[in-house]
């Protein structure tokens, strides 16, 4: 993908994987698809949110996963 003109930013902290999946799928399912989706994991303490986000990022190249 060339440099997108639209960036979507989502910050998460210790979210339940089911909620993360629904939120991510909602963004990815938009009719406009030429965007980058930056998800910032703000130091989730459990591994479940990290694993769920990594799984989402592996499925869609528009997702950029950052961890702080």
């Amino acid at each position: 993908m060339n440099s997108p003109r639209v960036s979507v930013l989502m910050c998460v902290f210790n979210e339940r994987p089911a909620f993360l999946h629904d939120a991510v799928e909602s963004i990815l399912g938009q009719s406009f698809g030429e965007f980058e989706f930056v998800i910032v994991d703000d130091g989730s303490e459990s591994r479940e949110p990290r694993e769920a986000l990594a799984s989402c990022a592996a499925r869609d190249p528009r997702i950029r996963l950052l961890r702080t």
Side-chain angles (χ1 to χ4, degrees), residues 1 8-14 20 24 28 36-44 46-68:
M1 173 173 33
V8 177
L9 176 63
M10 181 172 80
C11 298
V12 299
F13 176 74
N14 286 342
L20 287 175
V24 169
L28 296 177
E36 70 174 343
F37 187 10
V38 181
I39 304 174
V40 179
D41 178 357
D42 195 16
S44 291
S46 64
R47 66 177 163 71
E48 288 85 6
R50 293 189 306 258
E51 290 173 353
L53 291 172
S55 174
C56 291
R59 288 192 320 265
D60 196 303
R62 295 174 291 180
I63 296 176
R64 307 283 182 256
L65 182 56
L66 305 174
R67 292 191 177 97
T68 61

